[in-house]
């Protein structure tokens, strides 16, 4: 049986931005898995209009949507959010990720997984003590902006509670993911009893733990879901910084993920687990 995965950004194909071409390594990895078919695309229409694929997702033959919210607030229309909601209600798997501050706020209107994402101007973290700067080096980016390391480096994550299937790595546990200077905030919504935080990272600036991923087990026939703290866990630049990045990224990259292949191996293992578990 084939699993069809849609990798989708919330922006049109803008060259100097986080377009879907910057997730090519992920697409290639998923497509290499047995029984997996991948479609990778940007929006076909500007934000505010209804994309023909997202707007009819619930009637499509896709099994999973991996949504990279790289917009500044206008990435999803009301019709698209409704279709994504119906898609998950009929059993579709959903991974939603964003980045720092207000990048990707369009996911707030998704409900469910959208409520798991905390932003600066919308749906802030209910723990008010977390609504403060963490990364202090990139001064034009405000909270949430957890500093797990340089792009191109690797962070150590810690499982929370019982080891979730997404984190099992053979007889071991996945403990390494790409780092990023300013990750976003996620948490388990109080209104979603099937959701829990499954892994945390630690800020290299404040040494404060922060949530990496929230897993939704699916209830009443709904599909499983994952809310992830940053799309930089998934993109080419963080799997190999030699692939380059948009011109507005000005933090100097690291190279730990290139020097030590174990970080990338565990990252790919996580993506494999995600593709299997969401279905």
């Amino acid at each position: 049986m084939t699993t069809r995965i849609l990798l989708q950004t919330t922006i049109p194909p803008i060259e100097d931005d986080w377009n879907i071409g910057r997730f090519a390594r992920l697409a290639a990895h998923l497509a290499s898995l047995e029984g997996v078919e991948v479609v990778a695309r940007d929006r076909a229409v500007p934000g505010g209009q209804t994309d023909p694929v997202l707007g009819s997702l619930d009637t499509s033959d896709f099994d999973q949507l991996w949504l990279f919210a790289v917009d500044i607030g206008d990435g999803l229309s009301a019709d698209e959010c409704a279709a994504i909601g119906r898609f998950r209600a009929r059993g579709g798997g959903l991974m939603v990720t964003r980045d720092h501050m207000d990048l990707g706020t369009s996911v707030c209107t998704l409900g469910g997984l959208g409520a798991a994402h905390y932003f600066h101007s919308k749906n802030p973290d209910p723990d008010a003590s977390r609504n403060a700067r963490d990364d202090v080096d990139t001064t034009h980016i405000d909270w949430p902006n957890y500093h797990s390391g340089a792009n191109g480096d690797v962070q150590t994550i810690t499982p929370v509670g019982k080891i979730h299937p997404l984190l099992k790595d053979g007889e071991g546990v996945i403990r390494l993911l790409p780092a990023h200077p300013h990750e976003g905030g996620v948490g388990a919504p109080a209104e979603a009893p099937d959701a829990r935080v499954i892994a945390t990272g630690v800020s290299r600036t404040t040494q404060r733990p922060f949530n990496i991923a929230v897993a939704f087990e699916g209830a009443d026939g709904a599909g499983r879901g994952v809310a992830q703290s940053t799309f930089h866990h998934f993109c080419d630049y963080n799997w190999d910084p030699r692939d380059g990045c948009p011109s507005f990224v000005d933090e100097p990259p690291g190279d730990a993920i290139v020097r030590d292949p174990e970080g990338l191996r565990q990252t790919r293992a996580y993506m494999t687990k995600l593709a299997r578990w969401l279905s």
Side-chain angles (χ1 to χ4, degrees), residues 6-30:
L6 173 61
L7 304 184
Q8 174 78 50
T9 73
T10 55
I11 59 170
I14 302 169
E15 179 63 28
D16 193 27
D17 207 336
W18 296 108
N19 63 73
I20 199 63
R22 298 188 186 276
F23 298 85
R25 289 177 178 266
L26 170 66
H29 172 71
L30 294 177

Side-chain angles (χ1 to χ4, degrees), residues 171-233:
E171 297 300 314
V173 177
I174 293 170
R175 295 188 179 273
L176 300 176
L177 283 178
H180 181 54
H182 25 74
E183 304 202 21
V186 292
E191 65 272 21
D194 66 322
R196 73 175 178 95
V197 175
I198 63 169
T200 58
V202 175
S203 165
R204 294 190 182 182
T205 300
T206 63
Q207 285 69 59
R208 188 174 196 180
F210 66 95
N211 296 335
I212 289 287
V214 178
F216 291 70
E217 299 296 328
D220 299 324
R224 291 171 170 172
V226 170
Q228 195 89 5
S229 59
T230 177
F231 64 77
H232 285 275
H233 298 157

